[in-house]
């Protein structure tokens, strides 16, 4: 923390106390307040999803199915996947961090469509409610992938309610993407050219493209599943000559790009963190910016890698395999660029940076195993085993969740104007890192040994690895719980942070913390790049007043 | 255009031009999303039509080409009235806006009513996919298997159903716009809403422009 | 099994190839992970912030470096892609002499039929050193036949055939898993594959497992199901000649030609009118719902076994199918 | 910048063109052109859609960005079609069931 913080004062009027009362929150159009609404609700869904994960891990402690019945187990991992993917990881970075800082970063007073932004949150809550209803009724047991014909004809669980939930939630995601795209195109402050945009903006822009072009396809696919179940349409029904593999195409056409919805904004966070905590601009800014777009675009052409053993044509598999390899290259570029950003930098060990460095290591492992999975001859052995489970937790938890926590710890003082206890936050970062590896590394091994995923009981020889994994999960759980305590504590008792506790550049650090409702007294004029640490010059000019940088 | 005190200017925009541009980009991005939404069904159509050509021909023969063509004309007509409505708003002609919105509303409703009769005819002939489905083919279609026939009709209902749903939403939105239109709220400076809605309505028309030949006109010779 | 297991047994000809892919990838991953970790740690220490208002020295990029770290992973990936694809095709293409077994998946069991007609549930006995091809289908949802020690798996779909082949190299007992989630008992839908020396396998077969070879069963069905009334070969036949049909190209009434494979035969029997043969009326009734998956397998096996006839051979050949190996 | 206002005449002409194209497409459906039937049908549908997009939806006078949105979303749709159909069209090439 820079010394600036010590003398800072808490502003009297800011977005949190601008208006009072619960309605002023529920009807707010302020992007910052909507971000807080998301923060609360997304965290709740994460806890619920985490609870399901704990059930799964506990059941798997022993080879026999002793804690849960098979039906409960299947519901537990399905609800875990559905909640975590659709209600936690997809919205977490864009809807919380993106909503909060995106407009400020580009010098705007709000997103282009504040009402639609609020509508997004309501759709999210509506979708969530349907899913919770399904859960309360007894849950769903189709897996988060809803494969037909199991989901359409054979499952006796609350598929319809969940499908409606996911469908509605999809539109929340679409509207967020729409808002971001229009905002980035139309609301940039004067002088904020495309190549002066912080990389977080580039990443969110790329994400939004995926949200717009991909989400509707999964929406219609899930809708057709629902209609097949309820009204008896027969589009995927093999008994009537339908092809269940067609559903997989439609599902993965979205759901592969969706993994980039989950990771691109996280990558944007990492770009910001590496620059701020190395006090230096990101190595190869343009390459990183273009990589985001490349990932978003190429990411649409690889979905078939989930279907190598599905009965898809072998020739199509070959095409998807090589394209998957290609999409890994921009990610590789980014990892190297981030690492070398530290070169000749001024590297601090603040909590957000610890998370960022954790991300680099874990995402590398997750990504490399992803490329392994893309290798045809290899995937036929490990497909639908714990190897895949380990891969995606490495990228999703080790990657995105780490980045999210880093971003949260980075912007927390901006959001609430107060610092959290540094010591505890570092402890939690370490616990997460250690617990995470202990949980998921053994799954690579047990996966290669042949343990299939979605197994409620398993042969004895796999037990040792499952015990390690369950042990790790409990450490991980503690690591994730800690922040909720000290962050809440800091709201009231934390040290006042001041406008720029990290000595960072970027428009959001020129506003008071917490920022006023309108963000800026007047729209700033931007005269420099996003990470001009070295020049030490003032790069933003507010009308009449100058903002300080560094 | 000056940015002081424009009647329709929202607080977070700097100028009305910025707001207008945002609205139109936003609407187009929304339509991009719609294209992909219907695209999923068109893809399913493509897969099954190439797989079961005969069933698709048989199914198509069971659709009423007259009603289909009539509805196509009605929708194109409604697109015309909608376009003229937007034009009236651009020029600030209050009564013309109202008139064209009402005409569009009427045409849209006619389309839906015709659709209703088509659907109920399918119901009477047991062509609703599901347990009671039974297709009586004649002549060269006598032997077309029931499964693929069900797939044809599933696609028919899914595609026209989601299309009709969009029409219904459109009709509701017109009803919602009538009052401000009557009050003269849509002016040369402030007609984003009508214009955005127009885009939506035309898009729905385009979907039908594809649905009509793909469903009604297969193998008619 | 003793000790902590790290790798599954290598019990098929392809297992070694898949493991080789794995080990090379592991090495590549280790190198890159250590490289990244090394860089991070070194930079953290070397460029640790010394004072509060210190800032970094601007380094904007380095073209050569960036080309290197895009190019090297690209080359590695492409190399692994080609290798992986080669292995994939080896695993996908059964040798011509592979012995065909039928596998039917059903919630939650595997029904397996040997070429000799022997039937088993959840267990699969195979001779060592003989290429085996499994032709698989499902009666309900999607399952997936997974043999970890052989490093192969393939989804098993309702309404369609998929296949899998292997040549076991090491006698023993190995897991069969269902790898595609299929409902409540998914994790119990498995059993064992027993790889046995040839003589033992023969002995096991003669151990009184009832069943007719599919070709024989198929031949019987062919007459009981009245197929023979139309498909009797010769000019009077109402249906097309089935001899030598498998693997040939058939001209359809729609003008298309199609290669006859398992899927086509299946479709021709279940929904004959979906693809009508040129020059024939769509007379054939549908057999959907009248045949079990096993019966269908048998019929197809029988049709596949019919050799191409030279000249106008006629009825006899249909009546007397070629003798096929394996006793019941 | 002011908004482009099209004339009533333009709209009416487009409307008439659309009606004529509809009539043609129905008429052509009754002719036996073999595979050409589909080609003609789709060409007419695309032509009609293009007219609507360009004139009723004012894309002819819109900014480059909007044109880009229109073109790229169509392109995306075609990508989805092409890659999925590549599976259906090559199934069975290898001559091994399910590969
Ligand atoms: C955040 C989510 C996320 C991300 C970012 C990724 C990223 C990648 N994924 Fe992953 N994936 C999932 C989430 C994600 N995945 C999920 C949820 C599933 C399972 C779904 C289910 O079935 O339930 C899955 C499944 C999955 C499969 C299917 C496996 C199977 O079911 O059989 C495949 C196969 O190709 C794959 C590949 C990849 C690849 C190549 C990348 C690449 O983008 C990774 C690129 C990154 C790097 C490569 C690392 C950095 C690079 C270097 C340090 C340089 C050195 C590099 C080389 C030498 C190559 N993933
Ligand atoms: C964002 C995505 C995400 C995240 C964060 C996680 C997090 C975790 N996941 Fe999850 N996982 C998926 C996405 C995710 N997972 C998906 C998509 C699947 C596939 C589902 C399918 O097959 O359909 C899956 C499947 C999956 C499986 C495989 C199940 C199977 O195939 O049978 C396992 C097994 O170990 C697992 C474990 C874990 C663990 C231990 C965590 C831990 O990181 C979680 C730790 C977090 C907590 C523990 C929360 C903290 C809170 C508490 C401990 C307190 C309790 C709560 C209250 C007081 C209210 N996950
Ligand atoms: Cu059968 Cu899983
Ligand atoms: Cu993927």
């Amino acid at each position: 923390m820079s010394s600036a913080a010590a003398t800072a004062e808490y502003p009297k009027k800011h977005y949190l106390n601008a208006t009072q009362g619960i309605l002023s929150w529920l009807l707010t159009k302020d992007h910052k307040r909507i971000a807080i609404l998301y923060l609360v609700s997304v965290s709740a869904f994460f806890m619920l999803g985490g609870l399901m994960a704990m059930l799964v891990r506990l059941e798997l402690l022993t080879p026999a199915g002793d804690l849960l019945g098979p039906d409960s187990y299947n519901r537990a991992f399905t609800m875990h996947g559905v909640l975590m993917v659709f209600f936690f990881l997809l919205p977490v970075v864009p809807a919380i961090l993106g909503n909060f800082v995106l407009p400020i970063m580009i010098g705007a007073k709000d997103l282009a469509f504040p009402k639609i932004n609020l509508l997004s949150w309501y759709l999210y809550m509506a979708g969530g409610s349907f899913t919770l209803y399904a859960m309360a009724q007894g849950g769903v047991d189709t897996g988060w992938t809803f494969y037909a014909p199991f989901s359409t004809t054979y499952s006796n669980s609350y598929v319809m309610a969940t499908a409606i939930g996911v469908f509605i939630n999809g539109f929340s995601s679409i509207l967020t993407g729409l808002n971001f795209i229009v905002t980035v195109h139309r609301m940039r402050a004067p002088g904020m050219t495309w190549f002066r945009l912080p990389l977080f903006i580039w990443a969110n822009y790329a994400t939004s493209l995926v949200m717009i072009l991909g989400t509707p396809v999964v929406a219609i696919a899930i809708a057709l599943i629902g209609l097949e179940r309820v009204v008896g349409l027969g589009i995927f029904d093999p008994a009537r000559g339908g092809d269940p593999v067609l559903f997989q195409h439609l599902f993965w056409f979205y759901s592969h790009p969706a993994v980039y919805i989950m990771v691109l904004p996280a990558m944007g966070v990492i770009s910001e963190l590496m620059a701020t905590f190395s006090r230096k601009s990101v190595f190869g800014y343009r390459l990183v910016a273009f990589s985001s777009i490349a990932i978003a675009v190429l990411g649409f052409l690889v979905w078939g890698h989930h279907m190598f053993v599905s009965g898809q044509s072998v020739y199509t598999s070959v095409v998807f395999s090589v394209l998957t390899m290609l999409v890994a290259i921009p990610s590789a570029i980014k990892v190297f660029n981030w690492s070398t950003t530290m070169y000749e930098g001024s590297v601090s060990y603040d909590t957000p940076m610890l998370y960022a460095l954790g991300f680099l290591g874990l995402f590398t492992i997750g990504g490399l195993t992803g490329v392994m999975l893309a290798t045809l001859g290899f995937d036929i052995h490990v497909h639908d085993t714990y190897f895949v489970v380990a891969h995606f937790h490495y990228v999703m938890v080790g990657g995105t969740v780490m980045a999210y926590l880093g971003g949260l710890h980075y912007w927390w003082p901006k959001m609430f104007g107060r610092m959290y206890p540094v010591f505890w936050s570092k402890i939690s970062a370490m616990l997460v890192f250690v617990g995470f590896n202990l949980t998921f590394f053994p799954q690579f091994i047990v996966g290669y040994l042949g343990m299939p995923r979605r197994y409620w009981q398993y042969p004895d020889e796999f037990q040792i690895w499952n015990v390690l994994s369950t042990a790790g999960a409990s450490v991980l759980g503690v690591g994730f719980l800690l922040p909720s305590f000290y962050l809440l504590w800091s709201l009231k008792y934390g040290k006042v942070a001041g406008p720029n506790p990290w000595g960072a550049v970027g428009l959001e650090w020129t506003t008071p913390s917490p920022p006023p409702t309108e963000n800026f007294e007047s729209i700033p004029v931007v005269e420099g790049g996003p990470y001009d640490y070295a020049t030490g010059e003032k790069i933003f000019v507010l009308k009449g007043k100058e903002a300080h940088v560094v | 255009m000056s940015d002081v005190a424009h009647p329709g200017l929202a607080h977070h925009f700097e100028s009305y031009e910025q707001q207008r541009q945002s609205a139109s980009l936003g609407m187009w991005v929304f339509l991009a999303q719609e294209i992909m939404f219907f695209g999923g069904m068109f893809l399913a159509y493509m897969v099954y039509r190439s797989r079961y050509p005969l069933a698709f021909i048989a199914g198509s023969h069971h659709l009423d080409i007259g009603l289909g063509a009539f509805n196509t004309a009605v929708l194109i007509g409604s697109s015309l009235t909608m376009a003229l409505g937007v034009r009236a708003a651009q020029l600030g002609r209050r009564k013309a806006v109202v008139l064209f919105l009402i005409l569009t509303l009427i045409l849209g409703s006619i389309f839906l009513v015709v659709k209703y009769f088509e659907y109920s005819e399918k119901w009477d002939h047991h062509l609703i996919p599901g347990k009671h489905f039974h297709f009586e083919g004649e002549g060269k279609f006598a032997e077309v298997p029931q499964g693929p026939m069900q797939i044809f009709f599933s696609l028919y209902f899914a595609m026209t159903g989601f299309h009709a749903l969009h029409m219904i939403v459109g009709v509701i939105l017109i009803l919602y716009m009538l009052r401000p239109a009557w009050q003269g709220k849509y002016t040369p400076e402030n007609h984003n809403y009508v214009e955005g809605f127009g885009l939506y309505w035309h898009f729905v028309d385009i979907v039908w422009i594809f649905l009509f030949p793909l469903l009604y006109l297969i193998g008619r010779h | 099994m003793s000790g902590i297991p790290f790798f599954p047994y290598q019990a098929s000809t392809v297992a070694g190839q898949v493991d080789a892919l794995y080990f090379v990838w592991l090495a590549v991953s280790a190198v890159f992970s250590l490289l990244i970790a090394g860089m991070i740690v070194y930079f953290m220490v070397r460029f640790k912030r010394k004072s509060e208002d210190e800032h970094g020295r601007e380094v904007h990029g380095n073209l050569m470096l960036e080309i290197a770290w895009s190019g090297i992973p690209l080359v590695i990936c492409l190399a692994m892609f080609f290798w992986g694809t080669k292995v994939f095709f080896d695993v996908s293409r059964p040798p011509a002499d592979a012995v065909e077994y039928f596998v039917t998946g059903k919630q939650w069991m595997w029904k397996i039929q040997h070429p000799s007609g022997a039937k088993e549930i959840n267990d699969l006995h195979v001779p060592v050193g003989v290429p085996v091809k499994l032709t698989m289908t499902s009666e309900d949802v999607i399952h997936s036949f997974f043999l970890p020690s052989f490093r192969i798996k393939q989804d098993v779909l309702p309404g369609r055939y998929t296949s899998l082949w292997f040549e076991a190299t090491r006698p023993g007992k190995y897991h069969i898993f269902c790898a595609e989630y299929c409902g409540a008992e998914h994790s119990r839908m498995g059993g064992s594959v027993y790889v046995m020396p040839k003589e033992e396998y023969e002995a096991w077969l003669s151990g009184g497992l009832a069943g007719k070879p599919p070709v024989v069963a198929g031949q019987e069905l062919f007459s009981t199901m009245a197929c023979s009334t139309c498909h009797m070969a010769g000019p009077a036949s109402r249906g097309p000649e089935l001899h030598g049909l498998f693997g040939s190209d058939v001209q359809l009434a729609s003008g298309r030609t199609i290669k006859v494979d398992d899927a086509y035969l299946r479709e021709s029997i279940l929904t004959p009118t979906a693809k009508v043969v040129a020059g024939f009326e769509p007379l054939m009734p549908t057999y959907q719902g009248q045949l079990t998956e096993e019966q269908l397998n048998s019929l197809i096996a029988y049709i596949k076994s019919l050799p191409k006839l030279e000249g106008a051979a006629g009825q006899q050949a249909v009546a007397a199918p070629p003798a096929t190996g394996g006793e019941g | 910048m002011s908004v482009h206002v099209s004339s009533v005449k333009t709209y009416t002409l487009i409307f008439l063109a659309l009606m004529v194209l509809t009539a043609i497409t129905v008429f052509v459906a009754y002719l036996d052109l073999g595979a050409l039937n589909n080609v003609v049908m789709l060409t007419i549908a695309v032509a009609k859609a293009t007219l609507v997009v360009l004139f009723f939806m004012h894309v002819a006078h819109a900014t480059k960005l909007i044109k880009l949105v229109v073109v790229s979303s169509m392109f995306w749709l075609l990508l989805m079609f092409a890659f999925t159909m590549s599976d259906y069209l090559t199934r069975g090439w290898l001559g091994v069931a399910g590969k």
Side-chain angles (χ1 to χ4, degrees), chain B residues 51-162:
Chain B
R51 185 180 277 199
Y52 304 117
L54 202 63
F56 274 62
I57 295 176
S60 185
H61 276 251
H62 231 87
L63 303 181
D64 189 327
I65 209 167
L67 291 181
F70 173 76
N71 254 353
T72 311
V74 167
L75 259 198
I76 292 176
S78 80
S79 255
L80 174 67
T81 55
M82 191 62 230
L84 292 173
V86 172
R87 180 171 184 278
Q90 285 172 336
L91 298 173
R93 298 182 184 151
R94 184 176 69 95
K95 285 193 183 146
V97 178
V98 176
L99 173 72
F100 284 122
L101 281 182
I102 291 182
L103 282 177
T104 312
L105 180 71
I106 293 176
L107 290 171
S109 313
I110 293 179
F111 178 94
L112 286 171
V113 171
V114 172
K115 204 78 231 152
Y116 167 78
F117 282 113
E118 284 191 75
Y119 278 7
S120 56
E121 189 262 354
K122 305 282 169 315
W123 176 268
D124 296 340
H125 288 84
H126 299 282
L127 293 179
I128 311 283
K131 270 196 215 80
H132 306 291
F133 183 91
H134 184 75
F135 179 81
E136 287 286 348
E138 284 146 28
K140 63 177 170 172
F141 305 127
E143 282 292 331
V144 180
Q146 297 289 320
M149 282 319 305
Q150 288 215 38
I151 289 186
F152 174 83
F153 280 100
S154 297
L155 279 168
Y156 168 80
F157 281 107
M159 296 172 102
T160 59
F162 275 109

Side-chain angles (χ1 to χ4, degrees), chain A residues 243 249 300 303 313-314 316, chain D residues 83 86-88 90-91 99:
Chain A
D243 185 8
H249 277 297
F300 269 102
W303 78 81
S313 146
V314 281
T316 301
Chain D
F83 275 73
S86 84
D87 173 14
Y88 287 92
T90 61
R91 274 189 202 172
K99 303 284 180 182

Side-chain angles (χ1 to χ4, degrees), chain A residues 144 259-260 305-306 332 364 367 370 373-374 379 383 391-392 395 453:
Chain A
W144 80 282
V259 311
Y260 295 122
H305 66 214
H306 295 273
T364 300
L373 290 171
D379 187 64
H383 169 74
H391 154 68
F392 67 71
V395 273
R453 59 192 284 206

Side-chain angles (χ1 to χ4, degrees), chain A residues 16-282:
Chain A
L16 289 167
N17 65 6
T19 48
Q20 307 283 335
I22 185 91
L23 270 188
S24 80
W25 281 89
L26 291 181
L27 299 177
T28 182
K29 279 175 264 159
D30 180 357
H31 66 100
K32 298 181 287 305
R33 284 188 163 204
I34 295 174
I36 306 299
L37 292 176
Y38 269 115
L39 174 64
V40 174
S41 38
V42 169
S43 304
F45 280 109
F46 173 66
M47 288 290 164
L48 217 53
L51 206 66
M52 293 293 139
M54 284 326 224
L55 283 180
V56 166
R57 278 309 342 153
L58 278 177
E59 167 59 48
L60 294 177
L61 194 57
T62 55
D66 29 25
L67 177 70
L68 305 170
D71 280 319
S72 323
Y73 180 83
N74 295 339
R75 283 155 212 243
F77 77 70
T78 302
M79 295 313 304
H80 168 65
V82 168
L83 291 174
M84 285 298 199
V85 169
F86 294 109
F87 296 96
F88 169 63
L89 211 56
L90 284 172
V92 68
V93 179
I96 300 175
L97 301 178
N99 246 334
F100 197 96
V101 296
L102 184 137
I104 314 187
M105 274 184 158
I106 64 172
K109 290 181 188 162
D110 205 324
L111 287 175
F113 307 112
K115 276 189 228 164
I116 290 186
N117 196 19
L118 183 63
L119 176 64
S120 297
W121 181 73
Y122 275 103
L123 288 175
Y124 171 79
M125 292 308 280
S129 309
F130 272 102
T131 309
L132 289 182
Y133 166 80
M135 217 173 139
Q137 293 294 309
V140 209
D141 65 352
T142 59
W144 80 282
T145 47
F146 296 103
Y147 274 17
F150 183 73
S151 61
T152 51
T153 319
Y154 292 86
S155 170
N156 289 318
S157 60
Y158 289 80
V159 181
M160 194 59 198
T162 318
I164 295 175
V166 170
F167 183 85
I168 296 178
N169 184 51
F171 287 92
S172 161
S173 183
I174 290 171
L175 292 180
T176 304
L178 188 156
N179 231 330
F180 282 7
I181 289 182
V182 177
T183 306
V184 173
H185 272 288
R186 297 292 189 223
M187 310 284 287
R188 281 171 287 133
M192 183 57 94
T193 56
W194 282 88
F195 289 112
R196 285 179 181 173
L197 288 174
L199 287 166
F200 183 67
I201 306 292
W202 276 96
N204 272 290
Y205 182 80
T207 310
S208 306
L209 294 177
V210 183
M211 287 172 165
I212 294 295
L213 293 168
T215 319
V217 178
V218 81
I220 186 66
I222 301 253
L224 291 176
I225 289 277
L227 289 173
E228 186 152 335
R229 229 183 132 73
V230 175
V231 257
L233 293 194
I235 294 178
F236 307 122
D237 181 3
R240 286 180 264 185
D243 185 8
V245 178
L246 177 62
F247 172 76
Q248 299 177 18
H249 277 297
L250 291 172
F251 183 83
W252 292 114
F253 178 83
Y254 164 73
S255 293
H256 179 78
V259 311
Y260 295 122
I261 298 183
M262 304 177 209
V263 87
L264 277 169
M267 291 174 153
V269 172
I270 297 302
S271 296
E272 299 303 311
L273 297 183
M274 294 311 292
T276 299
F277 296 97
S278 306
R279 294 252 171 92
K280 205 173 138 290
S281 74
V282 172

Side-chain angles (χ1 to χ4, degrees), chain A residues 314, chain C residues 13-14 86-101 130-135 152 154 162-167 246 262 304, chain D residues 93-99:
Chain A
V314 281
Chain C
T13 48
V14 297
K86 180 190 171 291
V87 175
F88 181 60
F89 273 91
D90 287 349
V91 175
S92 302
R93 248 197 229 115
D97 59 344
V99 190
E100 194 173 13
Y101 287 51
V130 174
V132 166
K133 178 185 172 201
L134 310 178
T135 296
I152 50 171
Q154 170 66 49
T162 54
S163 59
L164 194 62
W165 85 271
F166 59 84
E167 182 180 329
F246 190 75
D262 293 85
K304 278 157 82 173
Chain D
W93 275 15
L94 193 65
V96 179
K99 303 284 180 182

